[in-house]
Amino acid sequence: MAKGISERTPQIIAAEINSIKDQTGRMLLYSSVEIGRRLTEAKSMVNHGEWGKWLESSVSYSQSTANKLMRLFEEYGAKLTTGQDSSNSESIPNLSYTQAIILLGIPEEERESFVAEHDAANMSTRELKQAVQERDQAVNEKAELQNALTANQGTVTEIASERDELRKQASGFQAAIHTKELTIKTLQGKLDLARQSEASVEKIAVLEKDIKVARIKLSANKVSFLYNNIAKEFEDLLSELTKLAPADPEAHEKYKSEVSGLIGKIAERL
């Protein structure tokens, strides 16, 4: 063998084949974009309703094929120069036709950075598909997380609203109780004064009756306040138990049993 001529090996031949494949893919992308450019131009000229017929009779394309080619032009046409060497593309360098098709799944505003970040031009079809899938999965997970945060924010807002309403109700009950206590205190003062001034038996009896009625109303208000609190808390407890059941059946049964026991004890003491 003559000096200076390297011995050919399967590895060298494979490298040459892959190089030709890459060049063919880039040429195919450029050609597809240029066809898409002309299809877009033609579509603007063909009469409405005759596009499919024109495609079939003039260039033997289906509408789906034409749409794909026009999409390639729309997405990549501005990135490629008018020369036939697609390696001169501005920001999507050295992509093959197959890579360009896969990358249509990436929004245009993200595509250029995605290509640069992943060195997409040097990825195999399988690797590029995997990278796009991982990107889509990350986007979906982010969206789900955002939705969960939004939903939780709604729950937090609802809970805060309920809390404020309960505070408002509690404030109203406490004000009513305070008013009744002041009434009793005032009546008690009048009763003490009446006794000291030797008021009539009838007047003292009236004051004593008023104090008794005021104390009954005070007790009723306190019972109402406590009952409403217990009823609200019990409803919340049942709601949380229902939510807990599918998430942690064992804990649900445990607390359900404890709640039932507590209710039984309360019933016994009534």
Side-chain angles (χ1 to χ4, degrees):
M1 182 177 294
K3 292 183 178 180
I5 300 178
S6 300
E7 181 181 357
R8 292 179 62 74
T9 65
Q11 290 76 17
I12 292 175
I13 295 171
E16 291 175 351
I17 291 173
N18 288 327
S19 176
I20 294 171
K21 284 170 57 181
D22 290 342
Q23 293 175 28
T24 302
R26 290 194 292 273
M27 290 173 61
L28 178 58
L29 173 59
Y30 174 80
S31 298
S32 298
V33 168
E34 288 303 313
I35 291 173
R37 185 193 307 276
R38 287 158 178 78
L39 286 172
T40 301
E41 181 183 10
K43 188 174 183 180
S44 66
M45 301 175 182
V46 175
N47 292 332
H48 180 71
E50 297 182 3
W51 177 238
K53 184 185 299 183
W54 183 88
L55 286 172
E56 183 178 355
S57 63
S58 301
V59 292
S60 300
Y61 282 156
S62 66
Q63 290 200 45
S64 61
T65 298
N67 288 340
K68 181 183 293 185
L69 291 167
M70 289 189 292
R71 173 87 188 280
L72 283 171
F73 163 66
E74 179 184 350
E75 297 290 337
Y76 297 107
K79 305 292 184 181
L80 300 176
T81 64
T82 57
Q84 291 188 352
D85 183 3
S86 63
S87 65
N88 291 327
S89 61
E90 296 175 357
S91 57
I92 309 292
N94 301 321
L95 291 179
S96 70
Y97 172 85
T98 302
Q99 290 169 334
I101 290 293
I102 295 172
L103 288 167
L104 289 177
I106 303 294
E108 182 180 3
E109 62 273 14
E110 299 178 25
R111 191 178 300 134
E112 189 171 349
S113 60
F114 183 91
V115 170
E117 179 182 347
H118 292 81
D119 191 17
N122 292 315
M123 298 177 77
S124 67
T125 298
R126 181 183 60 80
E127 290 171 339
L128 184 55
K129 285 182 177 179
Q130 180 65 29
V132 172
Q133 289 175 356
E134 290 175 355
R135 176 263 174 199
D136 291 343
Q137 182 178 353
V139 169
N140 291 336
E141 289 176 353
K142 182 178 179 180
E144 290 174 0
L145 177 60
Q146 185 60 49
N147 290 337
L149 289 173
T150 301
N152 287 336
Q153 182 59 46
T155 301
V156 170
T157 301
E158 182 179 350
I159 291 173
S161 178
E162 291 180 358
R163 177 204 62 198
D164 293 342
E165 181 61 26
L166 287 174
R167 285 178 176 174
K168 183 178 178 181
Q169 292 177 5
S171 178
F173 278 118
Q174 289 171 349
I177 290 171
H178 182 64
T179 299
K180 292 293 187 296
E181 289 174 340
L182 288 177
T183 299
I184 292 172
K185 186 176 181 180
T186 300
L187 290 172
Q188 186 64 52
K190 289 182 179 181
L191 178 59
D192 293 341
L193 183 60
R195 286 172 175 168
Q196 291 173 6
S197 61
E198 298 181 354
S200 65
V201 174
E202 291 80 4
K203 184 175 181 179
I204 292 175
V206 169
L207 288 171
E208 288 177 341
K209 181 180 179 181
D210 289 344
I211 291 174
K212 182 178 180 180
V213 170
R215 284 175 174 164
I216 291 173
K217 289 182 178 180
L218 174 61
S219 294
N221 280 347
K222 288 182 177 180
V223 169
S224 176
F225 173 68
L226 295 172
Y227 169 78
N228 286 330
N229 279 347
I230 292 173
K232 178 63 174 64
E233 294 297 334
F234 186 68
E235 287 297 326
D236 290 344
L237 176 60
L238 291 180
S239 176
E240 293 304 320
L241 274 175
T242 301
K243 294 177 184 177
L244 182 62
D248 191 340
E250 184 177 349
H252 172 263
E253 287 301 319
K254 173 187 174 183
Y255 287 112
K256 180 180 177 182
S257 176
E258 291 183 2
V259 170
S260 297
L262 178 61
I263 292 173
K265 291 178 181 179
I266 293 173
E268 290 175 359
R269 296 184 61 181
L270 287 176

